Amino acid sequence: MHLLTYRADGDDTPRLGALLAGDRVVDLTALAGAAGAQLPESLLGLIREGEPALATARRLLAVAPADGPATRPLAEVSLCAPLRPGKIVGVGLNYVEHVAESHRTLDTERELPDRPVLFSKPSTAVTGPGQPIRHNADLTKQLDWECELAVVIGEPAFQVAERDALRHVFGYSIVNDISARDQRRSGQWFFSKGQDSYAPFGPVVVTADEIPDPQRLDLSLRVNGELRQDSNTRHMLFGIARLIADISSGITLEPGDVIATGSPSGVGAGMVPPQFLQPGDLVEATIERIGTLANPVIDAR
């Protein structure tokens, strides 16, 4: 299933939806009500209820008419971030070529890390598809992009073995890990990567059953239509199962938490000369089988 959160008809209340045939949205809560069933009103609620709620949603979508009263064209709705995670765990230096370009331009270590490099982004950094990335020139002159596969946790995970780790995954999405490169503080990344709007997220969450091998997905990023990143998740230094095992060795991953699994090479800081985002730019992050997450950059001063 391709699950999403959206608003329609000027309504401020977000709705839980799913894509039908790629271009229509069905209101899952309304669909359930019409069938005498029950589903949560949010994607986070659906994740927390687990497999029984997922089974209900699958059953209802299997017979949902594309032109039923609970459906409408995708073009007529406004997509939101799929959910607001309890925590976002970022992974740095997780593609070999990105390690090399970061050493050259960002003064990181030359050697490949022997365990995942982790940092956090606050949930207040999350913004949805089509929503602006805030460029505040009083705070940064080096606003950068990073297209990353997002792993959405479904089952609580603590001290999980690598062989069991993928059982804890609900689904996959896209995070654009926006970074103010000139706001690292004594090597710490929280303010550099954690400002409001620095975690565009979406457009959908694809349930794990539809992506049986998340380590074989093409991913790319364009700025104003120009290709900047182009890689595949098979080039991760630490795969998703290893990341979950490592993080959960000391931190409980809860339903709805998100792991941003790292960026391939092609970031602005690594270009010659370096190029960074400016107000008026459009950033489009694309991952195979998930879709494209597009966000404009605005002047936030």
Side-chain angles (χ1 to χ4, degrees):
M1 291 183 292
H2 286 57
L3 301 171
L4 51 84
T5 300
Y6 73 99
R7 291 187 174 93
D9 300 330
D11 190 351
D12 288 336
T13 302
R15 302 169 183 265
L16 170 63
L19 279 183
L20 289 177
D23 63 355
R24 296 189 67 80
V25 173
V26 58
D27 184 329
L28 279 176
T29 307
L31 188 67
Q38 287 188 334
L39 282 176
E41 296 184 353
S42 71
L43 181 50
L44 183 57
L46 185 73
I47 293 170
R48 287 172 172 167
E49 289 200 8
E51 187 54 40
L54 274 176
T56 298
R58 289 193 187 99
R59 174 174 56 83
L60 293 170
L61 286 172
V63 297
D67 58 352
T71 66
R72 64 186 68 214
L74 175 62
E76 294 182 3
V77 307
S78 175
L79 295 184
C80 309
L83 57 98
R84 183 166 176 171
K87 54 184 171 286
I88 304 168
V89 182
V91 182
L93 306 175
N94 200 30
Y95 287 73
V96 174
E97 292 183 354
H98 184 51
V99 173
E101 74 175 356
S102 294
H103 171 70
R104 186 179 71 252
T105 60
L106 296 172
D107 301 321
T108 57
E109 296 294 330
R110 180 190 299 273
E111 295 76 17
L112 297 179
D114 58 6
R115 61 185 302 181
V117 176
L118 305 177
F119 61 92
S120 64
K121 292 172 85 87
S123 60
T124 47
V126 169
T127 193
Q131 295 302 303
I133 297 166
R134 296 170 55 84
H135 184 292
N136 185 341
D138 293 334
L139 292 176
T140 182
K141 303 295 191 294
Q142 299 180 1
L143 194 65
D144 210 343
W145 57 81
E146 293 186 348
C147 176
E148 306 195 5
L149 178 66
V151 177
V152 181
I153 298 298
E155 297 287 338
F158 182 67
Q159 297 183 341
V160 171
E162 189 171 340
R163 65 180 177 274
D164 300 323
L166 294 185
R167 300 176 188 174
H168 296 262
V169 175
F170 177 85
Y172 302 95
S173 189
I174 304 170
V175 163
N176 189 349
D177 177 16
I178 299 297
S179 307
R181 300 294 187 190
D182 46 1
Q183 280 288 346
R184 287 183 297 160
R185 300 182 178 184
S186 299
Q188 298 300 307
W189 297 349
F190 186 76
F191 195 75
S192 168
K193 290 177 171 285
Q195 295 180 49
D196 288 6
S197 82
Y198 279 21
F201 176 36
V204 299
V205 173
V206 180
T207 51
D209 59 296
E210 295 202 11
I211 302 181
D213 187 358
Q215 304 292 171
R216 290 292 184 272
L217 299 174
D218 289 334
L219 70 167
S220 61
L221 183 139
R222 295 177 184 271
V223 178
N224 302 326
E226 296 183 4
L227 185 65
R228 301 293 174 84
Q229 294 186 284
D230 187 14
S231 189
N232 188 285
T233 56
R234 68 176 176 271
H235 299 305
M236 284 184 190
L237 184 58
F238 303 106
I240 293 164
R242 172 70 183 279
L243 293 176
I244 292 172
D246 183 79
I247 296 164
S248 72
S249 67
I251 298 172
T252 299
L253 291 168
E254 300 176 311
D257 286 350
V258 167
I259 302 171
T261 56
S263 169
S265 61
V267 300
M271 299 181 72
V272 181
Q275 296 185 29
F276 298 106
L277 295 172
Q278 302 298 329
D281 287 344
L282 177 67
V283 190
E284 297 171 290
T286 300
I287 298 184
E288 180 184 1
R289 306 187 71 166
I290 298 173
T292 295
L293 172 65
N295 297 90
V297 182
I298 66 164
D299 189 336
R301 287 179 295 180

